[in-house]
Structure formats: structure tokens, C-alpha cells
């Protein structure tokens, strides 16, 4: 049976098919046009034999095709996922033989990722200053699960916004756009009180959303660049899942991806005016953990307030400088609401 690139969403897998295809024609699975690059589905058996090993039968779980598409977006749709897997599962040596079988992830993966919820409760309500670091490092290996990093481009600007609180203010000075002093550093989603981090965004619009600017607010936005001959490395919480790129290490990759996904969701939760600072403690802890056990300069995570926006938190502002400040007035705000009771 021949399969084509149109059957998949995984970019690396599509690239593998294109680079290894020796013929063009009509796909046996999606019946695409006759000019599609084709690959014998047998060429994918080794990858899927490893990939399927991250799942186990679970009567109360989720059908395999649904779980793969929800978490991995591997195939272009569930129908193609079912049809291709039906053929592959008949050949590879796996206890899972039906794409519709109810499954969950193997215990090794679940134990590593579910511990995040246990840790959150522990450091909020039990052992705030003495969590079990030995368990995180020597048993769960969390220090190795944050290796997916991004190095900021030297020419890529970052932005920070500050609200004005009166109508006669001029734009803030360049020297006023950095971290607050330690004595004035309030607790945030990433930083504890008294330990200032620099919160930035990758575009101006996102940083306006992040400070909750509203109609007619006047705002100063500082533009930051990396200092000459320095580099900034961030732990990346924005990565899309890529199973094929991580063939040979899929279990460790799955642990890392799921853990970062859970933490990213907590980092992105908007801070509401009535939230207790206790809710910030888990993400403050994980930022401290990353800071001291990975050597990274900060983190990169998705904005929940501006779709498509990305935020950066730097543990120190030593490697970056504000080069200009521009004043803005907010001219449009859109609000949507849904009934919650």
C-alpha cells in the first residue's frame, strides 16, 4: 500500500515521505491526485512500532485514533488515521491491534507528568520551602525534561508595556522600563515577591493585552534588544508536538512534552484581581527550578490573552537593554462573554 504526504500533518513525517519517495501517483488511502509523492507504508513501520509503545489498553480511556489526533495531530484527519493504522497494526509487534481500542499512556509517562498536580498541592499547602527536589531530579529526571530551548535572535526586538495613570504623563524614560526594584517587586505568575523578573512579549499588541489595557488608556511601550555579543536561551513551552522528529526517544520526549504542556497552561492563566498569591507559587517554583537546574536565561510561553501571542520572562535583565520608548493610546477594545451559571 502506498501513502502520500496529504495523509499527515506532522511536518517531519511529511518531509520524510517527500525525500524518500521514488514515485508519484495516486495514494491508496486518500486517493489524491496522480502527482503525489508516494511511499510504501512499510517504510513507516519502524516509527509506528516505537510510537505505539507509549500507549496501553485502558477500558476507561480514549479510542487510539482520537487520542493520537488530539495530542499529536499526526494525521490529516481521524479517518486516515484509522485506515493507515489498521494496516500497520496488523504487521508491527504490538499488543494494540485495533485503532479504535480504548487506550491511555503507559504508567511511566503518566507518573512523570501527573506528579505536577501532586507537587502543586504539596508546595501550596504542605512543604512550600522544602519540596522533594531529590525526587524531581533523581527519580523523575525533571532536570532533563526542560532541554527544549530557543535562542533569541540578536535582531529580534521584545516589548514591555506600562500603563499611565494620569492624562498628562509623558512616555516613561528608558531607565523606567526594566525590572522593578527588589523592594517593589510584587509576586507574579513567574517571580516570587522581592525577586524581580522581566516580563516581555514578542509583539506590541500582545504586551498591551498582557497589562489589561482598556479603551483610551495611554501606555508606554519599551523596545528591548539583546546586548552586543551576548545570547539569551529560553526554555520553550510553545512547542507543537512532533513525534516523528523524536523517533528513538519517544518516551522521554512524551514525558517532556506533556509536562511542559501542563506547566505552560498554568503559566498562561490570566491573573484575576481577586486571585490569591498562593496560586502563583507552583509556577514560581518551576521557574526557580529551571533557573537553577538548566542554566537558561528565562522561559517562552503562549499568551492566553492574545491568540498567537508569545511571552518571554527573563530571570535577569543583564543581557538585554531598552533602546526606545513609544507612547500609545488604546482606541479599540472588544469584549465577549459567556454565561457560567
Amino acid at each position: 500500500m502506498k501513502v502520500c504526504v496529504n495523509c499527515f500533518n506532522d511536518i517531519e513525517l511529511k518531509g520524510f515521505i517527500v525525500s524518500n519517495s521514488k514515485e508519484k501517483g495516486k495514494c491508496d488511502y486518500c486517493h489524491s491526485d496522480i502527482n503525489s509523492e508516494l511511499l510504501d507504508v512499510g517504510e513507516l513501520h519502524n516509527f509506528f512500532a516505537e510510537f505505539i509503545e507509549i500507549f496501553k489498553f485502558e477500558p476507561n480511556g480514549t479510542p487510539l485514533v482520537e487520542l493520537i489526533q488530539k495530542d499529536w495531530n499526526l494525521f490529516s484527519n481521524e479517518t486516515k488515521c484509522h485506515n493507515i493504522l489498521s494496516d500497520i497494526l496488523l504487521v508491527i509487534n504490538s499488543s494494540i491491534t485495533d485503532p479504535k481500542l480504548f487506550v491511555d499512556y503507559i504508567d511511566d509517562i503518566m507518573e512523570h507528568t501527573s506528579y505536577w498536580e501532586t507537587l502543586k498541592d504539596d508546595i501550596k499547602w504542605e512543604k512550600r520551602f522544602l519540596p522533594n527536589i531529590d525526587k524531581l531530579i533523581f527519580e523523575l529526571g525533571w532536570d532533563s525534561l526542560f532541554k527544549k530551548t530557543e535562542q533569541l535572535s540578536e535582531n529580534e526586538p521584545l516589548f514591555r508595556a506600562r500603563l499611565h495613570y494620569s492624562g498628562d504623563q509623558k512616555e516613561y524614560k528608558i531607565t523606567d522600563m526594566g525590572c522593578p526594584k527588589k523592594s517593589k517587586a510584587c509576586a507574579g505568575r513567574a517571580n516570587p515577591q522581592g525577586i524581580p523578573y522581566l516580563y516581555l512579549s514578542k509583539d506590541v499588541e500582545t504586551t498591551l493585552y498582557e497589562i489589561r489595557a482598556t479603551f483610551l488608556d495611554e501606555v508606554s511601550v519599551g523596545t528591548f534588544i539583546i546586548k552586543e555579543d551576548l545570547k539569551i536561551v529560553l526554555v520553550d513551552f510553545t512547542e507543537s508536538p512532533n513525534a516523528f522528529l523524536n523517533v528513538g526517544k519517544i518516551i522521554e520526549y512524551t514525558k517532556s512534552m506533556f509536562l511542559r504542556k501542563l506547566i505552560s497552561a498554568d503559566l498562561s492563566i490570566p491573573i484575576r484581581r481577586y486571585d490569591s498569591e498562593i496560586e502563583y507559587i507552583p509556577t514560581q517554583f518551576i521557574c526557580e527550578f529551571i533557573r537553577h537546574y538548566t542554566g537558561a536565561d528565562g522561559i517562552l510561553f503562549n499568551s492566553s490573552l492574545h491568540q498567537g501571542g508569545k511571552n518571554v520572562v527573563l530571570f535577569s535583565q543583564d543581557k538585554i537593554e531598552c533602546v526606545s520608548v513609544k507612547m500609545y493610546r488604546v482606541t479599540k477594545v472588544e469584549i465577549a462573554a459567556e454565561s457560567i451559571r
Side-chain angles (χ1 to χ4, degrees):
M1 297 286 282
K2 305 292 183 179
V3 67
C4 76
V5 294
N6 298 319
C7 293
F8 299 96
N9 285 327
D10 189 293
I11 295 175
E12 298 296 330
L13 181 49
K14 290 162 73 81
F16 177 80
I17 293 173
V18 171
S19 61
N20 289 276
S21 174
K22 296 181 175 60
E23 62 178 301
K24 291 186 177 182
K26 197 168 186 178
C27 176
D28 292 322
Y29 292 98
C30 69
H31 310 295
S32 59
D33 65 73
I34 60 173
N35 290 318
S36 296
E37 287 95 347
L38 299 177
L39 188 72
D40 191 298
V41 74
E43 296 290 324
L44 302 178
H45 285 175
N46 287 340
F47 161 68
F48 279 102
E50 180 186 349
F51 180 63
I52 293 299
E53 288 302 307
I54 68 176
F55 304 100
K56 67 171 184 177
F57 170 65
E58 174 53 62
N60 297 317
T62 305
L64 178 62
V65 291
E66 291 184 22
L67 195 57
I68 288 176
Q69 287 305 95
K70 178 176 72 73
D71 288 346
W72 298 92
N73 195 29
L74 190 61
F75 297 85
S76 54
N77 58 51
E78 282 191 16
T79 299
K80 292 172 186 174
C81 178
H82 177 273
N83 293 341
I84 294 171
L85 279 183
S86 293
D87 288 343
I88 291 176
L89 292 175
L90 291 175
V91 178
I92 65 176
N93 183 22
S94 173
S95 59
I96 298 174
T97 57
D98 184 351
K100 293 183 178 179
L101 189 72
F102 280 68
V103 301
D104 204 343
Y105 291 97
I106 59 176
D107 293 343
D108 188 21
I109 291 172
M110 296 304 295
E111 288 170 5
H112 275 73
T113 54
S114 64
Y115 190 70
W116 173 240
E117 293 299 325
T118 302
L119 177 65
K120 285 165 61 176
D121 285 340
D122 197 27
I123 60 180
K124 282 196 294 186
W125 310 113
E126 298 292 339
K127 295 183 293 185
R128 183 162 305 168
F129 299 109
L130 292 172
N132 192 347
I133 297 294
D134 285 349
K135 180 179 178 68
L136 297 183
I137 296 175
F138 298 113
E139 185 177 331
L140 299 177
W142 275 21
D143 55 323
S144 66
L145 298 183
F146 297 103
K147 291 183 177 179
K148 179 64 177 70
T149 58
E150 174 181 308
Q151 182 172 326
L152 289 179
S153 169
E154 295 179 2
N155 301 317
E156 181 180 9
L158 297 171
F159 304 93
R160 182 184 183 219
R162 290 189 63 187
L163 280 169
H164 291 198
Y165 293 99
S166 65
D168 58 351
Q169 277 188 271
K170 296 182 179 179
E171 66 270 14
Y172 284 103
K173 299 176 182 178
I174 285 177
T175 53
D176 295 329
M177 295 305 296
C179 291
K181 294 180 179 180
K182 292 180 179 180
S183 60
K184 295 184 177 181
C186 300
R189 186 62 69 182
N191 71 291
Q193 183 176 355
I195 302 178
Y197 291 168
L198 187 60
Y199 291 77
L200 304 161
S201 298
K202 284 203 167 189
D203 62 85
V204 172
E205 190 174 5
T206 298
T207 203
L208 295 177
Y209 275 91
E210 291 295 330
I211 64 168
R212 298 354 183 247
T214 190
F215 185 55
L216 297 183
D217 274 348
E218 293 182 348
V219 180
S220 283
V221 176
T223 299
F224 290 76
I225 61 170
I226 301 173
K227 293 179 180 178
E228 189 174 359
D229 298 328
L230 296 178
K231 65 179 182 180
I232 290 179
V233 177
L234 307 172
V235 172
D236 187 1
F237 287 93
T238 69
E239 178 191 18
S240 298
N242 194 316
F244 193 77
L245 182 63
N246 291 278
V247 64
K249 52 183 178 180
I250 190 66
I251 292 178
E252 289 304 308
Y253 172 73
T254 304
K255 293 176 187 177
S256 175
M257 182 192 73
F258 284 175
L259 178 60
R260 284 183 283 114
K261 184 177 180 180
L262 290 171
I263 294 171
S264 179
D266 285 339
L267 283 166
S268 298
I269 294 174
I271 298 173
R272 298 167 297 184
R273 65 177 65 91
Y274 49 81
D275 279 340
S276 166
E277 291 186 3
I278 291 176
E279 297 302 320
Y280 309 162
I281 292 172
T283 46
Q284 291 171 357
F285 168 82
I286 208 65
C287 286
E288 282 286 288
F289 184 89
I290 289 170
R291 180 181 185 182
H292 292 289
Y293 287 98
T294 72
D297 297 296
I299 60 173
L300 173 69
F301 61 100
N302 292 314
S303 170
S304 63
L305 298 174
H306 183 218
Q307 187 173 7
K310 293 187 177 183
N311 293 322
V312 170
V313 173
L314 297 181
F315 304 140
S316 169
Q317 61 184 3
D318 293 345
K319 294 184 177 182
I320 201 165
E321 60 184 343
C322 182
V323 294
S324 65
V325 180
K326 189 173 181 179
M327 193 167 172
Y328 291 82
R329 178 180 290 115
V330 178
T331 57
K332 182 179 180 182
V333 175
E334 295 183 357
I335 296 176
E338 62 181 6
S339 175
I340 59 174
R341 61 170 59 91

